[in-house]
Each structure stands twice: as C-alpha cells, then as structure tokens.
Amino acid sequence: MLFKVEMIVKLPVDMPKDVADEIKLREKKYSQALQSAGKWRHIWRVVGSYANVSIFDVESNTELHDILSVLPLYPYMEIRAEALCRHPSSIHDNDK
Amino acid sequence: MLFKVEMIVKLPVDMPKDVADEIKLREKKYSQALQSAGKWRHIWRVVGSYANVSIFDVESNTELHDILSVLPLYPYMEIRAEALCRHPSSIHDNDK
Amino acid sequence: MLFKVEMIVKLPVDMPKDVADEIKLREKKYSQALQSAGKWRHIWRVVGSYANVSIFDVESNTELHDILSVLPLYPYMEIRAEALCRHPSSIHDNDK
Amino acid sequence: MLFKVEMIVKLPVDMPKDVADEIKLREKKYSQALQSAGKWRHIWRVVGSYANVSIFDVESNTELHDILSVLPLYPYMEIRAEALCRHPSSIHDNDK
Amino acid sequence: MLFKVEMIVKLPVDMPKDVADEIKLREKKYSQALQSAGKWRHIWRVVGSYANVSIFDVESNTELHDILSVLPLYPYMEIRAEALCRHPSSIHDNDK
Amino acid sequence: MLFKVEMIVKLPVDMPKDVADEIKLREKKYSQALQSAGKWRHIWRVVGSYANVSIFDVESNTELHDILSVLPLYPYMEIRAEALCRHPSSIHDNDK
Amino acid sequence: MLFKVEMIVKLPVDMPKDVADEIKLREKKYSQALQSAGKWRHIWRVVGSYANVSIFDVESNTELHDILSVLPLYPYMEIRAEALCRHPSSIHDNDK
Amino acid sequence: MLFKVEMIVKLPVDMPKDVADEIKLREKKYSQALQSAGKWRHIWRVVGSYANVSIFDVESNTELHDILSVLPLYPYMEIRAEALCRHPSSIHDNDK
Amino acid sequence: MLFKVEMIVKLPVDMPKDVADEIKLREKKYSQALQSAGKWRHIWRVVGSYANVSIFDVESNTELHDILSVLPLYPYMEIRAEALCRHPSSIHDNDK
Amino acid sequence: MLFKVEMIVKLPVDMPKDVADEIKLREKKYSQALQSAGKWRHIWRVVGSYANVSIFDVESNTELHDILSVLPLYPYMEIRAEALCRHPSSIHDNDK
C-alpha cells in the first residue's frame, strides 16, 4: 500500500555542526535500512531545497506512522503523507 | 532526469459522457505509450481525487513540456512540475 | 484502517431540483449501505455548510478510493482524505 | 453536542526531554479521564504528524473551551474547533 | 450559546433582477423573524462587500445548522461558523 | 461607528508566569474600562484559542487605533480590524 | 477619515462590448463626481491588472459602504477596504 | 512614477526599549526628509497594526530600492511594493 | 527599467478553436514586435503550464501597463508584475 | 536548460555584522564565478526585498541542485526553482 510522503527539514540555524552531522548520519542509516527492507521504495531530493519526495510501501497507516515518527530528523521536519492507489492507466505491475 | 508531476483533472460537469470517455481513452493510450517508452516512469491515483502523482524521466525541460502539453486532458488539468534529483541517502540505482 | 474524509458538495446552482434530489437520494442509500457494512463508520454535517466530516474503516487505500470514486455526488465534491492511526492516549478499543 | 477538534503540537526543539515527558504524561492522564467521562469521544493520530483529530461531546461551547484551555499542552498547540451536527444520512444513533 | 457567523453572498451575475429581489425579500423576512425571536442577535454589513457578520444565540449546533440551511440565500452563500464563549474580561451579562 | 476586531494572542512560551499575569491583569482592567465607557461593545472568547472577537463603537478610525495600540498585550497580538455598518435587514436600533 | 480600497474587476468574458462600455462609462462619471466632491481622494491603476488602488475620505463606515455599493461595476468587483489613520511620521497635513 | 508600498514592522519582543526607540527615531527623521523631498508622497498607519501604507514617487525601480533598503527598520520589516500608474478615470493631475 | 511579469492564460474551454487561434496569432505577432523593439527582453514557457515568465525593459510603470493592457490575450490572463533592479553581485552590464 | 530560481534571504536579526558580511562576500564571489562560467545567467534584486530573481542555465536538475545547495547563504534562504523552456513566440536565440 503506497503513500507519497514529502518531508521538509528545518534545522535550527544555531545547531552545532557535529550535532547536525550525527543526526543526519543516523537518518541516512535508518532510511537505507528501510529502503533495503522494501518499505521506503523511493527517495528523491527536491532541487534547491532541504526536502525530499518519498514513496513508502507499507501494510497499514499505523506502520507508516511508526516508521516516520522515529526518524532521527522527525522533530525538525514538516511531513505530509498522501494515500496513493493504483491508477487505471498504469502498466507497471508494482505501481500499486 | 526526474520530475514529480501532479495533475488534477477538472472536466466541465456538463461535458457529455461520450466526449469525456473518448478524451480519457486517448489519454490512457498516450500515457501507456509513454510508460512503455520509459518516459512516464510512475503514475498513481491520489485517493479520493480525480488526480494523479507521476514521475517522469526526460532528457530536458523541453521534452517534459512537449509531453505534457499534448496530453488529451491538458486543457482540463492543473499541472505542477517539480524538479527532482538523486538523494544522497538513496540506495536505488535508478532514483536519479 | 481509518481515514478522516472531508467532503464539500458544490452542485451547480442551475441544476434542476428533481435531478439534484435523485442524486442525493442515491447518495444517501449508498452511504447507508456502507455504514451498515461498517465501512463508513461516522458521518457528521459541518454546521452551516453543505459538507460532511466522515470516518472510514477500510482494508486499504484502494478500497477507500473505490468507495469514494463511485459516490453519486463524486463529480460535484471536493474530497480530502487523511490517514489516521491509533493515538497512544486513546482508551477506546476501536479508535484504530 | 459534537465538535471536531484538530490539535497540532509544536514543542520548542530545545525543551528538555524530562520536561516534555512530564507534560505529555499529564496530557495523557487528563485526556483519558475525559475519554472515560464520555466528553472526549474519539482521538486519532494523524499519520506522519505530531497532531490529532478528536471528537468531543459537550453540553455547550463553554464546556468545550473549559476543557481545551487547561490541556497541559495547550500553550504549545494550534487548535481548530469545528461545530458538527447530525447528518441526515447517518444511521448511527450517537452521530449527533 | 453564541456563534459568530460570516456569510458572503455570490449571486450569479446573470440572475434576473426580479428573481434576485424575491429571494432577498424572503431572506430579509426570515432574518427579521429570527431577530425578533432572539436567535439572530446581531447582523452587520461588511463595508464594501455583499457580506455580513452575524451573532447567533442558539441552544445547540443542530439548531444553528437548521436555521442557516434554510436561508433563502443559502445556495448562493459561503458561510463560516465559529463557536464563541464568554470572555473572562467581559462585563456584559449577555456576552455569553 | 462599528468595527469587528479579531485579536490572537501569542505570548512567548518562555515568558515568566508573573510577567504574563501582570500584563493580562492590566489588559483586563483596560478592557473593562473601555467596555464601561461604551467603546468596547462586545468581547467573546473564540472556543479553543487564545483569541477574541470584539465589536468596537468609536468616533473614527483614529480613535480605534489609539485604543488598540496601547493595549498591554498589543506587542504580542495579531489584530485584524474590519469596518462594519448597518445591515438593511437589522431590526436592532444599535446595530449601526 | 481615510480608507484604502482595492478593487479588482472581473467582467464575464462573454459580456457584449457595448454593455461593458456603457457600464464603464457610468463608472467613470460616478467616480469623477466623487473625486470632485473630495470623497474619492486618489485612484491609481495597478500595473498589469484590471484593478485599482484608491483612497477614500468619508465621514463614516456607512458613507463608504453607501458609495461603494452603488458603483456600476460593483456586481463584478472584489473589493477590500482597510481603515487608515494618521501616521506619527507624516508631515502632510491631510494624510489623516 | 508611483508605487504603493506596504510595510509591516516586526520588532523582536525582547529588543530593549531604548534600542527600539533609537531605531524608530532615525526611521522617522529619514521618512520625513524623504517626504520633504517629495519622494515619499503619503504615509498612513493601518488601524490596529504596526504597519503602514505608503505612496512613493520615484524616478526608477532602482531609486525606490535604494530608498527602502536603507530604512533603519528595514531588517525588521516585511515590504511589498506594487507598481501603479495613472487611472483613466482620475481627475487629479498628480495621480500619476 | 526591468520588471518580471508572469502571465497565466485561462481560455474558456468552450472557445472555438479558430477564435482561439486567431487571438494567439495576434498575441504572437504583438509579442515579437515588442521583442524586436527591445521592450520585451525575455519570454519563457513554464514547463507543464499555459503560462510564461517574461522580463520587460520599459521607461516607466505607465509604459509597462500600456503594453500589457492591449495584449490580445489580456482578458484571459492573470498577470503579476514585479519591479526588479540591479543586483550588487551581477556582472552582466544589462541586468539592470 | 533554463530554470527561474527565486531566493529570499532571512538572516537571523541577531547575527553579528562581521559574520553576515563574510557570508555575503563569499556568496558574491561564488555567484560571480558562476555568472562568468555561464551557469548563472541573470540575477536581479526584487525591489524592496532582500531577495533575488535568477535565471540558471544548467545541464541537469542535479547540476542545479549541486550549485544551489552550496551557496554560502543556503541555510538562510527560501528557494523556489521552476523549470522553463523555450516559448514558441520567442525571437531570442538563447531563450531556451
């Protein structure tokens, strides 16, 4: 079951660089583990912004929230999740 | 080169059903040809809306506009295109 | 799996009353059948508006879209669906 | 008398964890007491957000304000209340 | 129990004058009957707009919706209702 | 001459309680003096918000600004003033 | 007593030219009479828009509404009025 | 060449009063010098807001930016400039 | 003197093709004449939209309005003009 | 391949002047190097704002993001990028 999730990161401008780097590193590892597991299907950078567009494939709303709410950057992000489903014109088997 | 494109369809409520059906049929064929050609990578329906979220893979801005501006539903759609690029956390080779 | 769905109805002001009444009657029957089946858990009128706030309980995003997109009033409504999940403070067993 | 209430929580990013935890604990207890009393009928988490959608059942506008304005998280929340009433299509006795 | 209600009137520009006049006359009579009954406490014109700001005093959300939804101009208005309650600084006995 | 004035209060979350209480007390006294003088005709709390809806009766735009700009909470408020006038349907002598 | 009034004109695209011209001519005469009388102090065109920014000098809110609501273009305009008063830095005697 | 310029002032709530007063005094002197020179034609206070509506008469876009960008309050203001020109209905020689 | 002008075209969906084509042809000729004259410096299509971003180089606000207000597509466009000036980092002689 | 990029700069009001000056100097040098290289085609100041409108000419979305994301002012800016392409009415060879 697919969701488009858009995340905008707003780190405080006075956060020490090493603190920010450590959070981003954990975020990256966590994201990559979820990508390997097939839960986080796609992640793209929005050009010119500290933001991403992602596609998640989860079993339920609850699973999506459980994944998002423990993101290391969660306290610093604005997140919008939008439920998707198969488009009748799609020819791609896994666009569902 | 990837773009997220969001399309909202607003057909006039008094458009005859056969006219609408004919436009939608052409839209579907055109979309599927572009999907087969690898240009229209993904298309998903937004739950509860006559709208889609799509990912296009094109050579240039011009190619994207040339594709979108001849969509049969083009005169009846609001379209927003957003440039994407590879996210440093992505592990998927083709998320670029 | 729960979704909050908000629907705003915008009938053309020149739609003949009997046409509107017939559509509304079918909408009502369809809504009540879904309520009886447990899919459409709640429906409330928004005070002062031709609009409702509803809670749906479905198996998947696809099921929700399949339900909404055949509503008799669908061509005349603005619909926004928002995915919900269990709140950690809830004491109600079925608020999930 | 029913109201849909949407609450978005915005804790300062530099609030010490134990301070935040203590406030959240009081919020939870207070919310659960009101749920037990039948005043706070439903509470759901919005997927991907530190926010909830709730349904309150109160005697008057005043009672609703009195409940909301002493929420432990009240100083850190954006709250929107919307008056609801029975929908003519509802088959649920208590959707009023 | 008080509500602030704001109404914006949008009559079709091609509505015949006598049709519009007849609707407005019924609206006026209905409004004045509700004012006499103490339900529609205040009504003011917004300067420069075909709009009003009103204060209603009703027993319940349902009563307010029942009043508003049969306004002769209802199909041509955008209406927003906002629940009010007594302000702790008020010295007016009936500002509640 | 009447104005609807809407005020939203945004106190800094780290303002000491005694400082806030002292400002609020002065605000209340000032508001009540203006109510007694007939200038501040109505004040209502917006349910669920640290905000009010008020009706002022003043001689001129200048008088209204002079009143509002010395409110003790003025530096912490967003204020919107909207000019009102008599509605042709009003039956209340002082709704002008 | 001064007000800034912004008017955006939206004539139906299918209004016959002679009908539009006749309305515009009456609008112009009415506007110029009010300018001569000192009520409509300034009127400027917004570059690139069928819109104007105006300054009115009136005795009361009511007088402003009475002037605006009989503008020949009134049914085709969006109007926003904003109350102004003397700025403490102004050196112009009549900027009040 | 005329521009409508709207300025909203947002001083930090913790700025010491003497610092704020010194900036405001310089702002006033600078504004009055420009008014005397005929560049800053009008300045009005927006009722209920720490904001102004102004009319500037300058030779070029560049001159306007050079004037605005050295305002003592510039770092604390949101500024919107809108190009104006003569309205065909104007009877005032200098409304251009 | 430079302005960024953004134009969004909204032709009625029922406008006959030959009428639309004739308007677009006149628009194109007029645009190209102004480009040749150096007044309309740049025009770009916005990808996915019937819209353009343009840069005009004019002597005054009035000249810009006179150019825009006789565009053949003017009655069908939303236009926003924004005044530009030289950026201190620019190395291009004519970016002014 | 062209993009319109709009940047709004929001430096913290308490940033020391020498820190700000050093960042701005690096921004200027970096911008001018990119202008010399033909990547940053145009940069204009928005009148009355600490903001610019720019045109970039890049090989890909990725190149644009790589350029923007290392701007010295990047952590302090809101950036919006919009893909452009050749307009059919353009007579300028390099408006593409």
Side-chain angles (χ1 to χ4, degrees):
Chain A
M1 208 172 73
L2 301 183
F3 287 85
K4 180 191 71 170
V5 178
E6 301 191 306
M7 310 181 200
I8 302 173
V9 186
K10 298 193 173 179
L11 291 179
V13 290
D14 59 356
M15 179 182 274
K17 188 174 178 308
D18 60 334
V19 174
D21 285 348
E22 189 272 338
I23 297 174
K24 291 178 194 173
L25 184 60
R26 278 191 291 129
E27 178 88 7
K28 185 174 189 170
K29 284 182 184 166
Y30 179 67
S31 167
Q32 293 186 334
L34 287 161
Q35 289 178 63
S36 297
K39 294 294 178 189
W40 197 326
R41 259 207 210 178
H42 299 285
I43 178 169
W44 299 284
R45 176 66 79 212
V46 178
V47 169
S49 300
Y50 192 2
N52 71 68
V53 173
S54 291
I55 304 293
F56 283 83
D57 182 0
V58 292
E59 295 302 308
S60 66
N61 291 351
T62 300
E63 186 184 7
L64 180 59
H65 187 71
D66 289 348
I67 286 172
L68 295 174
S69 60
V70 296
L71 287 169
L73 283 169
Y74 188 72
Y76 310 105
M77 293 203 291
E78 290 177 17
I79 296 181
R80 281 177 301 151
E82 191 167 47
L84 302 177
C85 62
R86 188 167 183 82
H87 192 285
S89 297
S90 179
I91 64 168
H92 301 299
D93 285 351
N94 66 348
D95 269 6
K96 58 185 175 185
Chain B
M1 211 173 70
L2 301 182
F3 286 85
K4 180 191 73 172
V5 178
E6 302 190 307
M7 310 181 200
I8 302 174
V9 186
K10 297 191 173 180
L11 290 180
V13 289
D14 58 356
M15 178 181 274
K17 188 175 178 306
D18 59 334
V19 175
D21 286 347
E22 189 272 340
I23 297 175
K24 291 177 195 174
L25 184 60
R26 279 191 290 128
E27 179 87 7
K28 186 173 188 171
K29 284 183 184 166
Y30 179 66
S31 168
Q32 292 185 336
L34 287 160
Q35 289 178 64
S36 297
K39 294 296 177 187
W40 196 327
R41 259 208 210 179
H42 297 288
I43 178 168
W44 299 285
R45 175 66 77 212
V46 178
V47 170
S49 301
Y50 192 2
N52 71 69
V53 173
S54 291
I55 304 293
F56 283 84
D57 182 0
V58 292
E59 295 301 309
S60 66
N61 291 351
T62 299
E63 185 184 7
L64 180 59
H65 187 72
D66 290 348
I67 286 172
L68 295 174
S69 61
V70 298
L71 287 168
L73 283 169
Y74 189 71
Y76 310 104
M77 293 204 290
E78 291 177 18
I79 297 181
R80 281 178 300 150
E82 191 167 46
L84 303 176
C85 62
R86 187 168 183 80
H87 192 285
S89 297
S90 179
I91 64 169
H92 301 299
D93 286 352
N94 66 348
D95 269 6
K96 61 184 173 185
Chain C
M1 212 173 71
L2 301 182
F3 286 85
K4 179 191 72 172
V5 178
E6 302 191 305
M7 310 181 201
I8 302 173
V9 186
K10 298 192 173 180
L11 290 180
V13 289
D14 58 357
M15 179 181 274
K17 188 174 177 308
D18 59 334
V19 175
D21 286 347
E22 189 273 338
I23 297 175
K24 291 177 195 175
L25 183 60
R26 278 192 290 129
E27 179 87 7
K28 186 172 189 172
K29 285 182 184 166
Y30 179 66
S31 168
Q32 293 186 335
L34 286 160
Q35 289 178 64
S36 297
K39 294 297 177 186
W40 196 327
R41 260 208 211 178
H42 298 287
I43 178 169
W44 299 286
R45 175 67 77 211
V46 178
V47 170
S49 300
Y50 193 1
N52 71 70
V53 173
S54 291
I55 304 293
F56 283 84
D57 182 0
V58 292
E59 296 302 308
S60 66
N61 292 350
T62 299
E63 186 185 6
L64 180 58
H65 187 72
D66 289 347
I67 287 172
L68 295 174
S69 60
V70 297
L71 286 169
L73 284 169
Y74 189 72
Y76 310 104
M77 294 203 291
E78 291 176 17
I79 296 181
R80 282 177 301 151
E82 192 168 45
L84 303 176
C85 62
R86 188 168 183 79
H87 192 285
S89 298
S90 179
I91 64 169
H92 301 298
D93 286 351
N94 65 349
D95 269 6
K96 58 185 174 185
Chain D
M1 210 172 72
L2 301 182
F3 286 85
K4 180 191 71 171
V5 178
E6 302 191 305
M7 311 180 200
I8 302 174
V9 186
K10 297 192 173 179
L11 290 179
V13 290
D14 58 356
M15 178 181 275
K17 187 174 179 309
D18 59 334
V19 175
D21 285 349
E22 189 272 339
I23 297 174
K24 291 177 194 172
L25 184 59
R26 279 192 290 130
E27 179 87 7
K28 185 174 189 170
K29 284 182 185 167
Y30 178 67
S31 167
Q32 293 186 335
L34 286 160
Q35 290 178 63
S36 297
K39 295 295 179 188
W40 196 327
R41 258 207 212 180
H42 298 287
I43 178 169
W44 299 285
R45 176 66 77 214
V46 178
V47 169
S49 300
Y50 192 2
N52 71 70
V53 173
S54 292
I55 304 293
F56 284 82
D57 182 1
V58 292
E59 296 301 308
S60 66
N61 292 350
T62 300
E63 186 184 7
L64 180 59
H65 187 71
D66 289 349
I67 285 173
L68 296 174
S69 61
V70 297
L71 286 169
L73 283 168
Y74 188 71
Y76 310 105
M77 294 203 291
E78 291 176 16
I79 296 181
R80 281 177 301 151
E82 191 167 46
L84 303 176
C85 62
R86 186 165 183 82
H87 192 286
S89 297
S90 180
I91 63 168
H92 301 300
D93 285 351
N94 66 348
D95 269 6
K96 58 184 175 187
Chain E
M1 212 173 70
L2 300 182
F3 286 85
K4 180 191 72 173
V5 179
E6 302 190 306
M7 311 181 200
I8 303 174
V9 186
K10 298 192 174 180
L11 290 180
V13 289
D14 58 356
M15 178 181 274
K17 189 175 176 308
D18 59 335
V19 175
D21 285 348
E22 188 273 338
I23 297 175
K24 291 177 195 175
L25 184 60
R26 279 192 290 130
E27 179 87 7
K28 187 174 188 169
K29 284 183 184 167
Y30 179 66
S31 168
Q32 293 186 335
L34 286 160
Q35 290 178 64
S36 297
K39 293 297 177 187
W40 197 326
R41 259 209 209 178
H42 298 287
I43 178 168
W44 299 285
R45 174 68 75 211
V46 178
V47 170
S49 300
Y50 192 2
N52 71 70
V53 173
S54 292
I55 304 293
F56 283 83
D57 183 0
V58 292
E59 295 302 308
S60 66
N61 292 350
T62 299
E63 187 185 6
L64 180 58
H65 186 73
D66 289 348
I67 286 172
L68 295 174
S69 61
V70 297
L71 286 169
L73 284 168
Y74 188 71
Y76 310 105
M77 294 203 290
E78 291 177 17
I79 297 182
R80 282 177 301 150
E82 192 168 44
L84 303 176
C85 62
R86 188 168 182 79
H87 192 285
S89 297
S90 179
I91 64 169
H92 301 299
D93 284 352
N94 67 347
D95 269 6
K96 61 185 173 185
Chain F
M1 209 173 73
L2 300 182
F3 286 85
K4 181 192 71 171
V5 178
E6 301 190 306
M7 311 181 199
I8 302 173
V9 186
K10 298 193 173 179
L11 290 180
V13 290
D14 59 355
M15 178 182 275
K17 188 175 178 308
D18 59 334
V19 174
D21 285 348
E22 190 273 338
I23 297 175
K24 291 177 196 173
L25 184 58
R26 279 193 289 130
E27 179 87 8
K28 185 174 189 171
K29 285 182 184 166
Y30 179 66
S31 167
Q32 294 186 335
L34 287 160
Q35 290 178 64
S36 297
K39 295 295 179 188
W40 196 326
R41 258 208 210 178
H42 298 287
I43 177 168
W44 299 285
R45 175 66 78 212
V46 178
V47 169
S49 300
Y50 193 1
N52 70 69
V53 172
S54 291
I55 305 293
F56 283 84
D57 182 1
V58 292
E59 295 302 308
S60 67
N61 292 350
T62 299
E63 186 184 6
L64 180 59
H65 187 72
D66 289 348
I67 286 172
L68 295 174
S69 61
V70 298
L71 286 169
L73 284 169
Y74 188 72
Y76 310 104
M77 293 203 291
E78 291 176 16
I79 296 181
R80 281 177 301 151
E82 192 167 44
L84 303 177
C85 60
R86 188 167 182 79
H87 192 285
S89 298
S90 180
I91 63 168
H92 301 300
D93 285 352
N94 65 348
D95 268 5
K96 58 185 175 186
Chain G
M1 211 174 71
L2 301 182
F3 286 85
K4 180 190 73 172
V5 179
E6 302 191 306
M7 309 181 201
I8 302 174
V9 186
K10 297 193 173 179
L11 290 180
V13 289
D14 58 355
M15 178 181 273
K17 189 174 177 309
D18 59 334
V19 175
D21 285 348
E22 189 273 338
I23 297 175
K24 291 177 195 175
L25 183 60
R26 279 191 291 127
E27 179 87 6
K28 187 173 188 170
K29 284 182 184 168
Y30 179 67
S31 167
Q32 293 186 335
L34 286 159
Q35 290 179 63
S36 298
K39 294 296 176 186
W40 196 327
R41 257 208 210 178
H42 298 286
I43 179 169
W44 299 286
R45 174 66 76 212
V46 178
V47 169
S49 300
Y50 192 2
N52 70 70
V53 173
S54 292
I55 304 293
F56 283 84
D57 183 0
V58 292
E59 295 303 306
S60 66
N61 292 350
T62 298
E63 187 184 5
L64 180 59
H65 187 71
D66 289 348
I67 286 172
L68 295 174
S69 60
V70 296
L71 287 169
L73 284 169
Y74 188 71
Y76 309 105
M77 294 204 289
E78 291 177 17
I79 297 181
R80 281 176 301 150
E82 192 167 45
L84 303 176
C85 60
R86 188 167 182 80
H87 192 285
S89 298
S90 179
I91 64 169
H92 302 299
D93 285 351
N94 65 348
D95 270 6
K96 59 185 174 185
Chain H
M1 209 173 72
L2 301 183
F3 286 85
K4 180 192 71 173
V5 178
E6 301 190 305
M7 310 181 200
I8 302 173
V9 185
K10 298 193 173 179
L11 290 179
V13 290
D14 59 355
M15 179 181 274
K17 187 173 178 310
D18 59 335
V19 174
D21 285 348
E22 190 273 337
I23 297 175
K24 291 178 195 173
L25 184 60
R26 279 193 289 129
E27 179 87 8
K28 186 174 189 169
K29 284 183 183 166
Y30 179 67
S31 167
Q32 294 186 334
L34 287 160
Q35 290 178 63
S36 297
K39 295 295 179 188
W40 197 326
R41 259 209 208 178
H42 298 286
I43 177 169
W44 299 285
R45 176 65 78 210
V46 178
V47 169
S49 300
Y50 192 1
N52 71 70
V53 173
S54 292
I55 304 293
F56 283 84
D57 182 0
V58 292
E59 295 302 309
S60 67
N61 292 350
T62 300
E63 186 183 7
L64 180 60
H65 187 72
D66 289 348
I67 286 172
L68 295 175
S69 61
V70 297
L71 287 169
L73 283 169
Y74 188 72
Y76 310 104
M77 293 203 292
E78 291 177 17
I79 296 181
R80 282 177 301 151
E82 192 168 46
L84 302 177
C85 61
R86 188 168 182 80
H87 192 285
S89 298
S90 179
I91 64 168
H92 301 298
D93 286 351
N94 66 348
D95 268 6
K96 59 185 174 185
Chain I
M1 211 172 70
L2 301 182
F3 286 84
K4 180 191 73 172
V5 178
E6 302 190 305
M7 310 180 201
I8 302 174
V9 186
K10 297 192 173 179
L11 289 180
V13 290
D14 58 355
M15 179 181 273
K17 189 175 178 308
D18 58 334
V19 175
D21 285 348
E22 189 273 339
I23 297 175
K24 291 178 195 174
L25 184 59
R26 280 192 290 128
E27 178 87 7
K28 186 173 188 171
K29 284 183 184 165
Y30 178 66
S31 168
Q32 292 186 335
L34 286 160
Q35 290 179 64
S36 297
K39 294 297 176 186
W40 196 327
R41 257 208 211 179
H42 297 287
I43 178 169
W44 298 285
R45 175 65 77 212
V46 178
V47 169
S49 300
Y50 192 2
N52 71 69
V53 173
S54 291
I55 303 294
F56 284 83
D57 182 1
V58 292
E59 295 302 309
S60 66
N61 292 350
T62 299
E63 185 183 7
L64 181 58
H65 187 71
D66 290 348
I67 286 172
L68 295 174
S69 60
V70 296
L71 286 169
L73 283 168
Y74 189 70
Y76 310 105
M77 294 203 291
E78 291 177 18
I79 297 181
R80 282 177 302 149
E82 192 168 46
L84 303 176
C85 61
R86 187 166 183 80
H87 192 285
S89 297
S90 179
I91 63 169
H92 301 299
D93 286 352
N94 65 348
D95 269 5
K96 60 184 175 185
Chain J
M1 208 172 73
L2 301 183
F3 286 84
K4 180 191 72 170
V5 179
E6 302 191 306
M7 310 181 200
I8 303 173
V9 186
K10 298 193 172 178
L11 290 180
V13 290
D14 59 355
M15 179 181 273
K17 187 174 178 308
D18 59 334
V19 175
D21 286 348
E22 190 272 337
I23 296 175
K24 291 177 194 174
L25 184 59
R26 278 191 291 129
E27 179 87 7
K28 186 174 189 170
K29 284 183 184 166
Y30 178 67
S31 167
Q32 293 186 334
L34 286 160
Q35 289 178 64
S36 297
K39 294 296 177 188
W40 197 325
R41 259 207 209 179
H42 298 286
I43 178 169
W44 299 285
R45 177 65 79 210
V46 179
V47 169
S49 299
Y50 192 2
N52 71 69
V53 173
S54 291
I55 304 294
F56 283 84
D57 182 0
V58 292
E59 296 302 309
S60 67
N61 291 350
T62 300
E63 185 183 8
L64 180 59
H65 187 73
D66 290 347
I67 285 172
L68 296 174
S69 60
V70 298
L71 286 169
L73 283 168
Y74 188 71
Y76 309 105
M77 294 203 292
E78 291 176 17
I79 296 181
R80 281 177 301 151
E82 192 168 46
L84 303 177
C85 61
R86 187 167 184 80
H87 192 285
S89 297
S90 180
I91 63 168
H92 301 299
D93 285 352
N94 66 348
D95 269 5
K96 60 184 174 185

